Amino acid sequence: MFRPVKLFAALLKWPMWPLLKYKVVPEHPVAELALDTSRPLFYICTTESAADLAAIRRICAKLALPDPNDNVSLSGSMHPRTLFLEKPHTLLFKRGKTTALAQGQALLQAHLADPALNAQLVPVSLLWGRAPGKENSIKGLIGEAHAPNWLAKLLIVLVSGRHSLARFSHPVSLQQMAAQFGSEEQTAHKLLRMSRFHFYRQRLAANGPKLVNRPQLFNALLAAPALKKAIDDEAKAKRIPVKAARQEARKLLLEIAADYRASTLRVGDRVLRWLWHKLYTGIKVNNADVLRDLAQKGHEIVYIPCHRSHMDYLLLSYVIYQQGLAPPHIAAGINLNFWPAGTIFRRGGAFFIRRSFSGNKLYSAVFREYLCQLFSKGYSIKYYTEGGRSRTGRLLQPKTGMLAMTLQSMLRGIERPVTLVPVYLGYEHVMEVNTYLHELKGSGKQKESALGVIKAIRNLRDYGYGYVNFGEPVTLNNYLNQQVPDWKQDIDTLEVQKPQWLNPVVAQLADNMMQRINQAAALNSINLIALCLLATDKHTLTRTELEQQIDFYLSLQRCAPYHKQVTLPQEPAGQLLDHALSLQKVQQHNDSFGQLISLTDNNAILLSYYRNNVLHLFMLPAIIACSILHQRDISRQQLNAVIQQLYPLLQQELFLNISSVEVYCTAILQHLVDGGLAEQDGDNYRAPTQHSNGYFMLSLLANNAEHTLQRYAMVLQLIENQSPQSRADLEKHSHELAQRLLSLHGITAPEYYDKQLFSTLLNALKDNGYTQTDEQSRVSSTVQLPLLKDTVSRLLRNDVLQSIHSIIPTKPS
């Protein structure tokens, strides 16, 4: 029975050539799956189909893998290279069984007879199209049956052949399986059963769950007990008929719910592929294998990315789709629900969320019920905990509403594990960056519109590289087991009363996710150059100095890494600089002494955004550099004391998370000494001689902490000299003082305009015991604050300190 399939597959090679276009995951299976081509290799596939075999043969030839049509010799016996789990359905007759069971048993017996054999069995999944199908659908011909008859397969190839996915999985060691389980028929059955379940999981991960008819979904949601109660409460509160309240709930569902369509994804995939090729030199994706492993294990995946640009919505969904996974449903701001973008986004999986739920209990109930339904059906979700795009390049303080609803959905009794995946999104150019500074200065936020989209498209150009780094995931089931061991006792009781542990656990989890996003940061040519040039007074360095400083920053991250998931460019500094020049981010001037690299005044402001994307990676090294520069012969104990004093404040602002601060700082100090940026005398450290190259490089590193320390000094001076005062007045005066320093010292940092940073600092000071609140809710200092103020003052330039002291009048005695 196998010979005709091989023959037909050979005959279909050329007729199928124009009909087949495929995506391979992983892109380089030999390297990424550690396949050993010197050892015997077998494939296992789902359906004994000539079309499938012809397609897999073509794919394997492209990847330089053995031909699936060949036979393999093991100990003098020939074995077919490919095992098929089932035969396709037939039009008239009952379908038979494949020889997979006998083949599997023969392979296991061969390995038991000869322990020197160690063949690899590689699962290969071929999906014709990525349509998930629909629930309660009678259309079983196109794309929904995984073992269709020959007529249905012909239609499938014609319709979906150019949108296929080939997924290679990690090989199974036949020697290990034979040694562990033997070669009985029962073992072969187990091997095939595991394979069937494996392929089922892969189809589900790639296509997603079957889609629900929207009217049926709405009716099911409106019949849910929690939403029925909310409708009744709305009717009583507004004194309207229950029917009217129910109609209002349906309108809210229409406003919120996605209208997910596979056809939109197919078109979107082609459009976005064209767009990324036009916009970016390339998209660099890291740690994506984590996603595939989670999906294969049946996890409910919740993506939590940082938010830099409107491009985030499209880029992340595209990357996930290219990794062979179903794109997630996306929580998008209601501001994006404008024609025609709103309709397109909705059909691509976006569901829309208002900025605030406050005062609208019915909306809150409808949205929560819809989100629970997505989880219960098994759809992956994506939302931005920052609540909006960052205007400064730093991560924003997280909003906890969506995380809280995720945990509330778990308490409805979701059986599958739910895993949060942090995602760092980085760019060498953010298309909205020019508007961010204007918004920070007080101009109104521009409303999204079709005209704005057209204008943005007209300005499209080469934006360099984009970066999508998947961070270390958090499985909520395990997290709750650690934080709240008896959390399962609250399952199904949520509608009565919210558990007391929910809010504090959600707040802690939100901070943890932001920390994990920062741990997956991507260094690139633009943010490295920004770190270097913005640390100079005139934003200018010689090309040699700039390349030397870039090399130092990269070596610092290699020898004293902030985290193992931080990604570094592999190109040399000179090549990174040439790339930045091609993007017109920096200027190059030549004179008789060599080349100078500089920033225009406008670019200096814009590049501070990209510096802030990765400033957290260099903040503690910069604090150490400041300490060595401003305090001669500082001991290791004194350095540790400075870091321990400032770390809690920096951690809250920059979402730092370092397992051992002392070990990390020791590695930094050693690298500074090894690089000639610091001198060590026993347990003491000092800066090199003032006119040396090491002193200059140490100064550049230290200047990366300058603006942060200036803000700290301003706020501490205000609290000490003008307290007690209300929180609102303190934030207002801090912001006004920042504007004065901007003018006096030519500071170009956009975060000086961000009132939220001052609010975050005040929270950190209170949390760490530096301030207190009296009965009138006024903020005043504690006895610890002067000690912190003295530490910060010793790390700043005298001219900046003088400006702060001259502006803020001393509190009268």
Side-chain angles (χ1 to χ4, degrees), residues 56 215 221 246 346 380 410 421 450 462 466 547 557 575 595 616 632 670 777:
I56 294 171
L221 290 172
R246 181 183 173 88
R346 198 183 293 274
S380 58
M410 285 188 63
V421 178
D462 185 5
E547 290 183 6
Q557 286 300 322
Q575 191 172 331
Q595 296 175 335
H616 63 283
R632 185 171 180 81
Q670 187 60 52
S777 298

Side-chain angles (χ1 to χ4, degrees), residues 97-106 108-109 112 177 181-193 196:
K97 295 183 178 181
T98 68
T99 59
L101 182 62
Q103 289 175 255
Q105 192 172 0
L108 293 171
Q109 287 173 348
L112 273 182
M177 188 148 191
F181 300 107
S183 62
E184 301 299 323
E185 183 176 336
Q186 185 179 358
T187 303
H189 269 298
K190 181 175 183 178
L191 176 63
L192 301 187
R193 189 167 58 250
R196 287 190 178 92

Side-chain angles (χ1 to χ4, degrees), residues 220-525:
L221 290 172
L222 293 171
L227 195 48
K228 286 180 69 175
K229 182 179 183 301
I231 291 171
D232 291 340
D233 291 345
E234 179 80 359
K236 292 176 183 177
K238 293 187 175 180
R239 298 181 180 178
I240 59 176
V242 172
K243 184 177 180 181
R246 181 183 173 88
Q247 188 60 32
E248 178 62 25
R250 185 178 289 274
K251 288 181 181 179
L252 293 175
L253 280 172
L254 285 169
E255 174 190 313
I256 294 168
D259 188 14
Y260 197 91
R261 301 191 184 185
S263 58
T264 302
L265 295 179
R266 284 198 299 270
V267 174
D269 180 49
R270 296 187 181 99
V271 171
L272 290 178
R273 189 184 299 116
W274 167 84
L275 182 64
W276 304 142
H277 287 159
K278 184 175 178 64
L279 281 183
Y280 298 109
T281 307
I283 304 296
K284 298 190 176 184
V285 182
N286 293 284
N287 209 27
D289 56 318
V290 169
L291 303 183
R292 295 193 291 269
D293 289 343
L294 289 172
Q296 186 63 44
K297 293 174 182 176
H299 285 235
E300 176 83 31
I301 301 178
V302 180
Y303 300 94
I304 301 185
C306 60
H307 202 4
R308 314 276 194 214
S309 166
H310 283 318
M311 282 294 179
D312 299 345
Y313 298 105
L314 303 174
L315 180 60
L316 181 53
S317 292
Y318 173 81
V319 166
I320 292 169
Y321 193 66
Q322 290 298 308
Q323 294 302 317
L325 301 175
H329 278 57
I330 310 161
I334 195 67
N335 58 307
L336 293 179
N337 190 21
F338 61 90
W339 187 89
T343 301
I344 296 172
F345 288 159
R346 198 183 293 274
R347 292 183 176 184
F351 58 96
F352 293 97
I353 180 173
R354 295 179 183 178
R355 292 296 180 187
S356 174
F357 293 11
S358 60
N360 194 334
K361 293 182 179 180
L362 181 61
Y363 181 87
S364 179
V366 168
F367 188 89
R368 185 169 59 248
E369 198 65 34
Y370 176 73
L371 189 65
C372 288
Q373 185 70 218
L374 293 180
F375 279 118
S376 66
K377 293 291 184 183
Y379 297 107
S380 58
I381 309 290
K382 177 176 73 175
Y383 52 76
Y384 301 87
T385 56
E386 293 172 279
R389 292 165 292 158
S390 170
R391 266 62 179 172
T392 65
R394 297 164 177 253
L395 293 185
L396 304 178
Q397 293 298 313
K399 307 291 191 298
T400 58
M402 289 295 292
L403 269 176
M405 283 188 277
T406 300
L407 265 66
Q408 288 173 323
S409 298
M410 285 188 63
L411 294 177
R412 296 284 188 92
I414 296 176
E415 294 181 0
R416 290 173 299 112
V418 178
T419 297
L420 309 181
V421 178
V423 189
Y424 177 93
L425 297 170
Y427 303 91
E428 291 185 328
H429 179 82
V430 173
M431 66 178 185
E432 305 101 321
V433 73
N434 288 290
T435 67
Y436 287 166
L437 186 64
H438 297 296
E439 293 178 13
L440 285 170
K441 287 181 177 179
S443 66
K445 182 178 179 293
Q446 294 184 3
K447 185 178 180 180
E448 282 73 26
S449 65
L451 182 62
V453 173
I454 294 171
K455 185 177 179 181
I457 291 174
R458 289 179 58 191
N459 295 328
L460 294 182
R461 58 183 179 85
D462 185 5
Y463 288 169
Y465 286 99
Y467 299 83
V468 181
N469 288 359
F470 296 98
E472 188 175 350
V474 174
T475 299
L476 284 183
N477 307 65
N478 298 337
Y479 186 84
L480 289 177
N481 287 339
Q482 295 172 0
Q483 303 296 324
V484 192
D486 58 349
W487 67 275
K488 291 184 179 179
Q489 295 179 9
D490 292 309
I491 288 179
D492 292 333
T493 66
L494 192 64
E495 300 304 327
V496 179
Q497 186 176 5
K498 184 187 296 185
Q500 292 183 352
W501 55 261
L502 186 65
N503 288 342
V505 166
V506 167
Q508 182 182 5
L509 179 62
D511 283 342
N512 186 263
M513 294 309 297
M514 305 307 281
Q515 292 167 1
R516 288 171 185 251
I517 290 172
N518 265 348
Q519 288 174 342
L523 283 171
N524 60 52
S525 63

Side-chain angles (χ1 to χ4, degrees), residues 488-761:
K488 291 184 179 179
Q489 295 179 9
D490 292 309
I491 288 179
D492 292 333
T493 66
L494 192 64
E495 300 304 327
V496 179
Q497 186 176 5
K498 184 187 296 185
Q500 292 183 352
W501 55 261
L502 186 65
N503 288 342
V505 166
V506 167
Q508 182 182 5
L509 179 62
D511 283 342
N512 186 263
M513 294 309 297
M514 305 307 281
Q515 292 167 1
R516 288 171 185 251
I517 290 172
N518 265 348
Q519 288 174 342
L523 283 171
N524 60 52
S525 63
I526 304 304
N527 53 42
L528 283 166
I529 289 171
L531 283 164
C532 299
L533 292 181
L534 293 177
T536 66
D537 290 334
K538 301 296 183 182
H539 304 147
T540 302
L541 286 171
T542 68
R543 183 176 180 117
T544 301
E545 291 169 339
L546 180 54
E547 290 183 6
Q548 187 178 37
Q549 195 72 13
I550 290 173
D551 283 333
F552 166 70
Y553 286 154
L554 291 174
S555 66
L556 178 63
Q557 286 300 322
R558 293 188 187 102
C559 297
Y562 174 80
H563 194 270
K564 62 182 180 181
Q565 289 187 322
V566 173
T567 58
L568 312 180
Q570 301 304 310
E571 300 84 357
Q575 191 172 331
L576 295 175
L577 182 51
D578 289 337
H579 176 64
L581 286 166
S582 71
L583 297 177
Q584 301 178 0
K585 295 294 186 183
V586 295
Q587 293 181 323
Q588 181 172 287
H589 308 278
N590 298 321
D591 58 23
S592 57
F593 298 99
Q595 296 175 335
L596 291 173
I597 308 297
S598 63
L599 299 173
T600 63
D601 289 342
N602 186 53
N603 270 354
I605 297 173
L606 298 182
L607 256 68
S608 63
Y609 182 93
Y610 305 104
R611 175 201 59 191
N612 288 346
N613 291 172
V614 295
L615 187 61
H616 63 283
L617 302 180
F618 296 94
M619 183 54 70
L620 290 190
I623 296 292
I624 290 174
C626 283
S627 301
I628 295 173
L629 277 174
H630 292 92
Q631 301 180 55
R632 185 171 180 81
D633 287 329
I634 185 171
S635 69
R636 186 186 295 266
Q637 289 75 17
Q638 290 173 316
L639 275 169
N640 286 338
V642 170
I643 296 299
Q644 293 294 341
Q645 199 172 16
L646 292 176
Y647 180 75
L649 306 181
L650 296 168
Q651 182 182 37
Q652 203 154 331
E653 177 180 327
L654 296 172
F655 298 103
L656 303 181
N657 188 352
I658 299 168
S659 56
S660 174
V661 175
E662 187 173 348
V663 171
Y664 176 58
C665 291
T666 299
I668 293 170
L669 281 168
Q670 187 60 52
H671 189 68
L672 294 179
V673 172
D674 293 342
L677 278 72
E679 296 176 355
Q680 184 176 5
D681 181 12
D683 204 35
N684 292 340
Y685 297 85
R686 67 171 68 93
T689 56
Q690 192 163 356
H691 299 292
S692 66
N693 187 54
Y695 186 92
F696 176 67
M697 294 176 68
L698 186 69
S699 300
L700 291 181
L701 174 60
N703 287 345
N704 286 305
E706 186 78 12
H707 294 154
T708 298
L709 293 172
Q710 287 171 6
R711 281 187 295 103
Y712 286 10
M714 284 187 287
V715 173
L716 295 174
Q717 184 79 4
L718 279 169
I719 294 173
E720 186 177 64
N721 289 1
Q722 296 188 357
S723 63
Q725 58 180 311
S726 70
R727 172 72 178 260
D729 287 343
L730 195 52
E731 290 184 17
K732 177 185 175 183
H733 294 155
S734 298
H735 191 252
E736 290 172 348
L737 179 55
Q739 307 311 301
R740 174 63 69 90
L741 282 180
L742 279 171
S743 302
L744 289 176
H745 296 279
I747 299 170
T748 57
E751 61 266 27
Y752 264 66
Y753 297 102
D754 188 5
K755 297 178 182 179
Q756 181 61 46
L757 282 180
F758 293 103
S759 176
T760 301
L761 176 57

Side-chain angles (χ1 to χ4, degrees), residues 152-163:
K153 176 56 71 79
L154 175 61
L155 295 175
I156 288 170
V157 172
L158 290 173
V159 173
S160 304
R162 295 184 61 80
H163 199 69

Side-chain angles (χ1 to χ4, degrees), residues 23-26 29 33 35 41-47 52-53 55-57 59-60 63 65-66 68 81-85 120-127 165-171 195 198-199 202-203:
K23 167 73 180 176
V24 177
V25 176
L33 301 178
L35 300 181
L41 190 146
F42 292 85
Y43 305 107
I44 184 166
C45 306
T46 53
T47 311
D52 285 15
L53 183 57
I56 294 171
R57 287 188 70 194
I59 294 167
C60 289
L63 298 171
L65 285 168
R81 189 183 297 279
T82 306
L83 289 72
F84 294 103
L85 292 177
Q120 308 156 96
L121 181 64
V122 179
V124 182
S125 176
L126 182 64
L127 299 177
L165 174 70
R167 171 81 183 272
F168 289 77
S169 300
H170 287 281
S195 299
H198 173 86
F199 287 127
Q202 287 203 337
R203 284 196 301 272

